[in-house]
Amino acid sequence: MADRIIFVGILVLAGVYFWATSQIPTLEIGDPLGPKAFPRLLGVGLLISAAMLLAEMIKERKAAPETNEPEEKEDTSTYKIVAGVVVATGIYFALFEVLGYAVSTMLFLLVMTAYFNKGKWWTNVLTAVLYSFISYYMFSSLLGVNLPRGIAPF
Amino acid sequence: MDTLNHILNGFAVSTMPINLWYTFIGVFLGTIIGVLPGIGPSAGIALLIPVTFGMNPTSALIMMCGIYYGTKYGGSTTAILIRTPGEAASVMTSIDGYEMAKKGRAGAALAVSAIGSFIAGTLGVIGLTIFAVPLSSMALKFGPAEYFTLMLFAMTAVSTLTGKSPAKGLLATILGLMIATIGIDLQSGQARYTMGIPEFQDGVGFVVVVVGLFAVAEVFRGLEDIYKGTGAQTMKITGKLWLTKEEWMRSIGPIWRGGIIGFIIGVLPGAGGTIASIMSYTTEKRLSKHPEEFGHGAIEGVAGPEAANNSDTAGAMVPLLTLGIPGGGATAVLMGAFIMYGIQPGPLLFQNRPDLVWGLINSMYIGNVMLLILNLPLIGIFVQLLKIPSGILYPLIIAISVIGAYAINGSMTDLYLILIFGVVGYVFDKIDIPVAPLVLSLVLGGMMEQSFRQAMTISGGHPKIFFGSVITVTLIVMSVVSILLPFILPMLKKYKEDGKDE
């Protein structure tokens, strides 16, 4: 099932890529190939991978002819958890320049450890506070990495 | 004579106090990264690139290579004590190593993997020293057409050898090349596929892609495991950290064989450490007088694969340094590091910067000695790292990735990109699309297009140039064979079986 979606996905992507390639303006000077030739080759490569995938799908079907086995049911709640982590990380990034590196990182670590390392309040709070401020000091002062200060008072 | 001078000079470079220090930092960090599940050599090196910017390139590269081969040492510790490979290539070690630990022989398992890694790692560096000069002088004759076909072969080999499906491997390769075409085209000055995002004019940075695919995606998978409650129990180090005479006698053969297998697999593009260790494991099982012990704590099953995945790293440095073409994901990241320091690995580097090349190669001898010390008498310190609850470790890896990604340009686009590539990496893992080919082709993409266009310019726009020399034709044939092989092999097998029936 997943392979069928990938197959359609490749075809759609190839279509979009060929279209986007045709949109690149070209000047007929200098190199004979221009900026479009190599991408066109890649588009063809994409179609080859789609053809190979189709061949593999047919081979698999021949090997295991429609046993009609019930599709493995994955627990959808795990995907919800991963989606939650993605959203939390997105919020962390959105607040990154507003609150600054240290404060936003501390909040992110507090929220994440509160869920994934449940019940160990002392360890979690200590890790979040110490890591975010010490790493801020280390990277911005000692290694000269430019991290946003945000609302941190120092 | 000249070469011998360069090699000796290299020792002078690699024993400079500053470089000894960075070798140490590299292998130390490598061991940590290897021990910690969830972060591997690719992500580790990529995260360090922006932070070490402005350092002397020789020292920086010595350090990053130290991380690369150091992770192989650390990875075995996690494999033995919690049956989770700390690094993908130690997956075979986790079978018999963990069984040994259950039987109270964790000390012996750790010892044999450290000693085996050291012997094979050193063997690999000797091989690298021997092959470097002849290969690099051969590569000096390569023109753009030869380079293009060589990259084509590296990519097709990686496509078909990593992951379960060659089609998906090829898909990953093409996706990497497509990402590489984003940004201003260097020859015509045209912006391509920037989707109106100004940050994309410089292209999508490979550090961002690697951090997303290898670190952030790994965090998503790890947190998913915590939620599902599939965390493993950590074993205590039991038994002396040394081998009995019988164990030693049983291990020495597998270490030598594993070392040689690993080096050869390492030099060839595509296969890499995981396949090297699987091959060593199956070889030892076949040669063994008591194959039934494999899977139940056979020391040969730890010694061989550990040796193989360590000499593999030295073998993989051969094409990277001599040809300037990496043969796998982690060496592709190393190549990206070279380029970010303004250094183009390849045959010319041996002529122009022998101090750097030989300083780097010779630092690997020293690094292996340091690793033996870190991973044998001092292993207890690193085992403490396994006590960090993964519920804290994984969120911290995101926070570390943020520093690495933001440090490149101070750009929010890069932060959102690591999140996007993190999701992509997580989804790709679920649907069996390998990410190593994508990273390789992303790093090589720009070079590949340039050599393609240069070759076509030389030939006046006719593709016959790619069939113009023995080297290009051989490489093209090898590329085609590596794509068709997964389809041909089963057919041949079937043909043979049908023949038998009659």
Side-chain angles (χ1 to χ4, degrees):
Chain A
M1 191 56 213
D3 285 358
R4 268 177 245 174
I5 298 171
I6 298 172
F7 180 73
V8 175
I10 299 175
L11 294 184
V12 172
L13 182 66
V16 172
Y17 195 71
F18 275 124
W19 173 80
T21 306
S22 70
Q23 298 303 106
I24 302 169
T26 32
L27 300 162
E28 299 299 329
I29 42 164
D31 76 306
L33 282 175
K36 291 181 183 178
F38 188 70
R40 286 210 181 102
L41 222 55
L42 296 183
V44 174
L46 213 50
L47 294 178
I48 293 175
S49 79
M52 280 169 68
L53 187 64
L54 195 66
E56 281 175 15
M57 277 153 57
I58 293 169
K59 209 168 76 181
E60 248 167 57
R61 187 176 281 188
K62 268 188 190 161
E66 292 303 311
T67 39
N68 253 347
E69 58 185 288
E71 289 264 317
E72 239 183 277
K73 261 197 189 155
E74 260 223 63
D75 189 3
T76 49
S77 71
T78 51
Y79 293 121
K80 278 183 200 149
I81 287 298
V82 174
V85 174
V86 173
V87 170
T89 313
I91 294 172
Y92 169 33
F93 292 169
L95 296 175
F96 190 69
E97 283 187 330
V98 184
L99 298 180
Y101 166 79
V103 176
S104 63
T105 303
M106 186 184 71
L107 290 177
F108 173 73
L109 289 177
L110 280 176
V111 172
M112 295 296 279
T113 54
Y115 188 84
F116 288 104
N117 197 36
K118 276 196 189 89
K120 313 229 170 66
W121 279 102
W122 271 108
T123 333
N124 294 350
V125 172
L126 220 62
T127 312
V129 173
L130 287 181
Y131 173 79
S132 41
F133 286 93
I134 291 176
S135 64
Y136 177 70
Y137 174 75
M138 238 179 72
F139 284 99
S140 63
S141 301
L142 301 182
L143 289 167
V145 172
N146 195 16
L147 293 169
R149 211 179 86 175
I151 56 165
F154 46 83
Chain B
M1 243 11 252
D2 224 22
T3 311
L4 198 65
N5 267 339
H6 287 326
I7 295 176
L8 292 175
N9 229 337
F11 271 111
V13 173
S14 51
T15 49
M16 275 160 53
I18 177 100
N19 290 335
L20 284 177
W21 172 242
Y22 281 113
T23 308
F24 175 74
I25 303 256
V27 297
F28 183 78
L29 284 176
T31 306
I32 293 179
I33 289 168
V35 168
L36 292 177
I39 186 161
S42 301
I45 295 165
L47 283 172
L48 263 186
I49 294 170
V51 177
T52 56
F53 222 72
M55 251 173 74
N56 160 18
T58 310
S59 306
L61 292 172
I62 282 177
M63 178 168 80
M64 297 203 191
C65 287
I67 294 178
Y68 174 47
Y69 56 85
T71 47
K72 297 289 168 84
Y73 278 80
S76 55
T77 307
T78 319
I80 290 165
L81 295 178
I82 58 176
R83 205 169 54 181
T84 312
E87 201 272 324
S90 47
V91 59
M92 297 316 285
T93 312
S94 62
I95 304 172
D96 282 278
Y98 188 75
E99 290 300 319
M100 282 180 75
K102 276 210 309 208
K103 289 182 182 159
R105 296 296 295 152
L110 290 171
V112 78
S113 62
I115 296 169
S117 299
F118 171 73
I119 295 175
T122 307
L123 200 70
V125 186
I126 294 173
L128 170 61
T129 309
I130 294 171
F131 284 107
V133 175
L135 264 176
S136 65
S137 42
M138 189 187 90
L140 274 177
K141 299 186 190 105
F142 278 27
E146 280 81 8
Y147 261 105
F148 176 78
T149 46
L150 179 63
M151 284 185 255
L152 192 70
F153 171 56
M155 284 178 197
T156 50
V158 172
S159 304
T160 48
L161 288 175
T162 36
K164 295 170 194 155
S165 141
K168 289 176 187 172
L170 181 66
L171 171 63
T173 303
I174 302 279
L175 287 177
L177 289 171
M178 284 168 63
I179 297 171
T181 58
I182 295 175
I184 303 254
D185 169 39
L186 290 176
Q187 282 187 19
S188 66
Q190 291 295 344
R192 295 189 292 183
Y193 318 108
T194 54
M195 295 168 266
I197 300 167
E199 280 87 349
F200 279 3
Q201 299 220 333
D202 290 333
V204 176
F206 93 100
V207 170
V208 173
V209 178
V210 172
V211 169
L213 291 179
F214 288 94
V216 178
E218 197 59 46
V219 170
F220 294 159
R221 276 197 288 278
L223 291 175
E224 183 187 347
D225 284 345
I226 297 178
Y227 174 76
K228 286 198 278 191
T230 42
Q233 193 71 35
T234 308
M235 304 288 284
K236 292 236 162 53
I237 300 183
T238 42
K240 262 206 283 188
L241 270 169
W242 201 244
L243 301 171
T244 64
K245 196 163 179 228
E246 193 232 334
E247 284 169 330
W248 178 242
M249 293 309 286
R250 286 174 59 176
S251 305
I252 189 75
I255 289 173
W256 281 100
R257 281 190 291 272
I260 292 166
I261 292 173
F263 184 76
I264 295 170
I265 298 281
V267 173
L268 299 174
T274 312
I275 291 181
S277 56
I278 293 173
M279 277 183 67
S280 161
Y281 189 87
T282 48
T283 307
E284 293 313 324
K285 195 172 173 180
R286 221 177 30 230
L287 291 177
S288 173
K289 291 189 191 93
H290 33 77
E292 70 286 350
E293 272 183 41
F294 279 76
H296 304 284
I299 196 163
E300 295 92 335
V302 179
E306 270 311 306
N309 75 35
N310 277 278
S311 59
D312 167 81
T313 52
M317 295 295 287
V318 173
L320 173 67
L321 290 176
T322 60
L323 309 175
I325 306 293
T331 37
V333 178
L334 265 181
M335 165 130 177
F338 273 85
I339 293 170
M340 288 195 79
Y341 280 100
I343 289 164
Q344 181 72 43
L348 284 174
L349 199 61
F350 279 83
Q351 292 195 330
N352 303 337
R353 294 292 308 273
D355 57 315
L356 187 149
V357 181
W358 290 108
L360 179 65
I361 294 177
N362 294 339
S363 78
M364 292 173 73
Y365 289 107
I366 300 165
N368 270 296
V369 176
M370 289 177 174
L371 280 165
L372 183 65
I373 298 167
L374 287 176
N375 283 274
L376 209 52
L378 301 180
I379 190 65
I381 302 168
F382 294 100
V383 172
Q384 299 300 315
L385 287 171
L386 294 174
K387 290 192 180 145
I388 302 174
S390 31
I392 289 182
L393 177 66
Y394 286 120
L396 276 180
I397 292 178
I398 297 239
I400 293 168
S401 304
V402 162
I403 297 179
Y406 194 79
I408 315 164
N409 300 317
S411 137
M412 280 310 290
T413 315
D414 287 340
L415 279 198
Y416 288 116
L417 278 177
I418 64 167
L419 182 59
I420 291 170
F421 279 103
V423 175
V424 168
Y426 173 83
V427 174
F428 275 18
D429 179 62
K430 293 278 167 202
I431 57 178
D432 292 327
I433 298 179
V435 292
L438 193 158
V439 172
L440 176 76
S441 61
L442 172 66
V443 171
L444 288 182
M447 258 173 78
M448 193 179 191
E449 176 168 11
Q450 292 311 312
S451 56
F452 175 70
R453 285 159 78 170
Q454 280 163 7
M456 290 293 265
T457 309
I458 292 170
S459 75
H462 201 289
K464 69 170 187 262
I465 187 164
F466 297 112
F467 301 93
S469 77
V470 183
I471 299 173
T472 54
V473 172
T474 314
L475 287 166
I476 285 183
V477 169
M478 280 157 76
S479 312
V480 173
V481 167
S482 66
I483 283 197
L484 293 181
L485 206 59
F487 294 97
I488 296 170
L489 274 184
M491 269 192 239
L492 276 178
K493 217 172 149 192
K494 208 178 163 213
Y495 181 75
K496 260 191 189 164
E497 279 166 9
D498 286 353
K500 269 179 201 160
D501 286 346
E502 280 158 33

